[in-house]
């Protein structure tokens, strides 16, 4: 998780990396999606992930705390599921649900970071 | 008067001793031309200008994406349209640069013979103030730690009467501050602020990719052109941020050169900073000419 940058909150930096990676993964899925409705759903979800990237960016340099580390650990677990799900995006409902579940955990971590 | 050193070896020895003594006296009195400290202070101001230009550019374009998203939501909240760099976050950078500017002004005190005694008082005052800065009032915990270290070193250097020696003692703290500032910007396109900004461009390009899917064949070319323009804007803005990061590192190099008393290295570093600012302004103009989405 650590990147060797002592000025960054390591847990939030990891969360930022995760969000950037999922955003890129969603973008890469457009390489093969030909269904315009499904592509639109991907773009919409990308916008939601991007909004959280901005949110984490604003908190990225706050001091670390165990509570934040715990929240990000919960996101970590969901992230593994999301990576697998995004490898085979089948339908819009499944896509929206999977990304939304992931982002609910991300929002909890961002909300906690705002209180530090 | 002609002196024949070969005929008077004792006199030759005295003259050599006088020359050496004179050189030592000069070296002890002043080892830094005032222009060097002024150069460093100007470098600080130049990088601050570059930072303001770059941050304004980022906020302007990123806000447009947040507006697009907010327009699709059932209710409108201020949090949904917050800028990437909020006003209070930009104020933290102002505070950090202001503190560095005060440090440079204190070094200048050492260059004025009648005010050199003021340096001890000013250094101790600034050192104490820096040590007590609220970490939350600075851009990052790393920058805050750098200022605490700089404050400690300034208090140690308060007895100095020479600007180079004072800068040499303070240099580790200054290096820490500028290095931590550079980290905030991001070492690569995927890290820090650069990573966030890059994903904004990827998002915009994704919108064009979706539009391409639904467009009729004869309507696709403008979409491809828009896609390419966005790619160019993405690369331009990353260059801007990379340039800002480099300027912060150049500022650290400028101070290290000042601390070594190396006028040539200092001039090189300050020259690079000016070039980075010029490049940033040119990129900003280029960026605006690419007509970002309103």
């Amino acid at each position: 998780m650590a990147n060797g940058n002592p000025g960054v909150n390591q847990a939030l930096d990891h969360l930022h990396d995760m969000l950037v990676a999922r955003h890129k993964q969603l973008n890469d899925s457009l390489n093969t999606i030909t269904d315009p409705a499904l592509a639109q759903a991907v773009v919409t979800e990308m916008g939601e992930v991007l909004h959280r990237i901005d949110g984490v960016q604003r908190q990225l340099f706050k001091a670390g705390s165990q509570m934040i580390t715990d929240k990000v650990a919960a996101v970590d677990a969901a992230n593994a599921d999301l990576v697998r799900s995004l490898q085979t995006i089948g339908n819009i409902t499944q896509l929206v649900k999977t990304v939304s579940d992931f982002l609910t955990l991300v929002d909890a971590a961002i909300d906690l970071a705002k209180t530090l | 008067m002609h002196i024949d050193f070969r005929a008077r070896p004792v006199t030759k020895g005295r003259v050599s001793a006088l020359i050496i003594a004179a050189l030592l006296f000069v070296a002890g009195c002043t080892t830094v031309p005032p222009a060097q400290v002024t150069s460093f202070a100007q470098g600080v101001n130049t990088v601050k200008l570059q930072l303001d230009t770059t941050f304004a550019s980022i906020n302007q374009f990123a806000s447009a994406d947040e507006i697009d998203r907010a327009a699709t939501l059932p209710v409108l909240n201020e949090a949904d349209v917050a800028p990437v760099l909020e006003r209070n976050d930009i104020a933290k950078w102002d505070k950090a640069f202001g503190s560095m500017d005060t440090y440079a002004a204190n070094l200048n005190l050492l260059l004025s013979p009648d005010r050199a005694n003021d340096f001890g008082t000013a250094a101790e005052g600034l050192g104490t103030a820096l040590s007590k800065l609220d970490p939350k009032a600075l851009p990052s915990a790393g920058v805050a730690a750098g200022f605490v270290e700089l404050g400690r070193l300034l208090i140690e250097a308060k007895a100095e009467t020479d600007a180079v020696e004072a800068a040499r003692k303070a240099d580790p703290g200054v290096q820490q501050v500028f290095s931590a500032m550079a980290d905030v910007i991001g070492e690569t396109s995927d890290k820090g602020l650069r990573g966030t900004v890059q994903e904004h461009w990827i998002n915009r390009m994704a919108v064009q990719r979706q539009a391409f899917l639904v467009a009729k064949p004869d309507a696709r070319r403008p979409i491809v052109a828009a896609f390419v323009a966005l790619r160019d804007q993405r690369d331009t803005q990353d260059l801007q941020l990379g340039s800002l990061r480099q300027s912060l590192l150049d500022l650290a190099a400028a101070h290290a050169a000042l601390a070594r008393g190396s006028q040539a290295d200092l001039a090189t570093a300050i020259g690079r900073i000016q070039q980075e600012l010029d490049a940033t302004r040119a990129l900003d103009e280029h960026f605006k000419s690419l007509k970002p989405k309103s």
Side-chain angles (χ1 to χ4, degrees):
Chain A
M1 178 193 292
N3 70 351
N5 180 352
V8 179
N9 180 316
Q10 296 296 300
L12 291 175
D13 189 39
H14 179 57
L15 181 57
H16 188 263
D17 285 348
M18 264 194 283
L19 287 165
V20 166
R22 294 298 68 78
H23 192 253
K24 287 186 192 301
Q25 191 179 4
L26 281 162
N27 183 53
D28 289 346
S29 74
L30 294 173
N31 292 341
T32 51
I33 291 174
T34 53
D35 172 6
L38 187 53
Q40 180 57 58
V42 167
V43 169
T44 301
E45 294 310 309
M46 283 179 72
E48 292 303 313
V49 174
L50 181 65
H51 181 64
R52 272 66 175 196
I53 290 174
D54 286 350
V56 175
Q57 173 66 49
R58 292 185 201 103
Q59 313 301 324
L60 199 51
F61 298 95
K62 287 193 169 175
S65 85
Q66 188 56 48
M67 284 191 298
I68 285 283
T69 304
D70 293 345
K71 290 281 184 194
V72 174
V75 179
D76 244 337
N79 180 55
D81 294 338
L82 182 59
V83 170
R84 275 192 298 275
S85 298
L86 294 185
Q87 282 166 358
T88 50
I89 297 175
N91 62 70
I92 295 170
T93 308
Q94 178 211 350
L95 171 71
V96 172
K97 183 181 184 316
T98 313
V99 176
S100 295
D101 290 349
F102 173 74
L103 292 181
T104 300
L105 295 169
V106 172
D107 287 342
I110 295 173
D111 287 343
L112 180 62
K114 286 178 184 171
T115 65
L116 293 177
Chain B
M1 182 177 67
H2 175 72
I3 299 172
D4 185 348
F5 290 124
R6 286 171 299 179
R8 302 173 66 182
V10 175
T11 306
K12 180 184 174 185
R14 279 182 186 160
V15 170
S16 300
L18 280 172
I19 291 170
I20 291 168
L23 286 173
L24 286 173
F25 177 75
V26 169
C29 283
T30 173
T31 52
V32 57
Q36 288 194 23
V37 174
T38 306
S39 263
F40 172 71
Q42 283 172 347
V44 171
N45 291 330
T46 303
V47 176
K48 179 65 172 58
L49 266 177
Q50 189 184 354
L51 183 124
D52 288 343
T53 304
T54 306
F55 281 8
S57 173
I58 288 169
N59 267 350
Q60 190 180 14
F61 106 94
S63 291
D65 294 333
E66 292 289 21
I67 291 168
D68 284 348
R69 175 182 172 274
T72 68
L73 300 175
V75 292
L76 181 59
N77 288 312
E78 191 173 342
D80 288 315
V81 286
V84 171
L85 295 154
E86 292 180 303
R87 194 174 49 183
N88 61 340
D89 287 328
I90 291 173
K92 293 175 184 179
W93 287 88
D94 292 343
K95 175 95 178 165
F97 272 89
S99 296
M100 201 51 81
D101 206 34
T102 307
Y103 161 69
N106 282 357
L107 277 185
N108 254 325
L109 287 176
L110 284 178
L111 300 170
S112 174
D114 54 332
R115 297 185 66 195
N117 289 338
D118 294 344
F119 177 76
T121 310
E124 185 166 23
L126 177 62
T128 305
L130 293 180
S131 304
K132 291 180 179 172
L133 277 177
D134 178 4
K136 291 180 179 175
L138 291 163
S140 78
V143 174
F147 273 114
V148 168
E149 177 65 1
L150 178 58
R152 187 184 70 75
L153 294 169
L154 277 175
I155 292 169
E156 273 186 18
K158 68 180 179 181
E160 291 301 332
T161 55
D162 178 88
V164 164
E165 191 54 31
R168 190 184 67 75
K169 283 195 173 166
D171 191 53
V174 174
Q175 297 300 316
Q176 200 176 332
V177 167
F178 288 132
S179 170
M181 284 181 172
D183 284 340
V184 175
I185 305 303
E187 190 177 353
T188 67
S189 301
D190 292 332
K191 296 296 293 182
L193 191 54
R194 288 173 73 184
T196 298
V197 168
Q198 173 153 274
E199 294 315 307
H200 273 268
W201 291 112
I202 288 175
N203 212 74
R204 288 188 181 188
M205 291 165 75
V207 171
Q208 296 303 321
R209 299 177 77 184
Q210 195 278 336
F212 184 89
L213 283 180
V214 294
K216 292 178 178 170
D218 58 350
R220 286 183 165 181
R221 196 176 188 287
I223 295 172
V224 176
F227 183 82
V228 169
L230 288 169
R231 180 200 64 194
D232 291 347
Q233 284 174 301
R234 176 195 66 194
D235 294 346
T236 300
Q237 197 142 46
D238 191 57
L239 276 174
Q240 248 188 348
L241 280 164
S243 170
L244 175 59
R245 180 177 180 275
Q246 186 56 50
S247 286
L248 289 163
L249 297 175
D250 286 340
L251 213 39
H255 190 273
L258 177 69
R260 287 195 306 274
S262 172
Q263 191 166 359
D265 290 351
L266 175 62
T268 302
I270 296 297
R272 277 201 307 262
I273 287 168
Q274 188 57 50
Q275 285 173 359
E276 298 287 357
L277 174 64
D278 293 342
T280 292
R281 284 176 166 158
L283 288 169
D284 197 44
E285 289 306 313
H286 174 64
F287 181 76
K288 285 172 183 165
S289 75
L290 292 172
K291 297 180 184 173
K293 138 172 103 166
S294 57

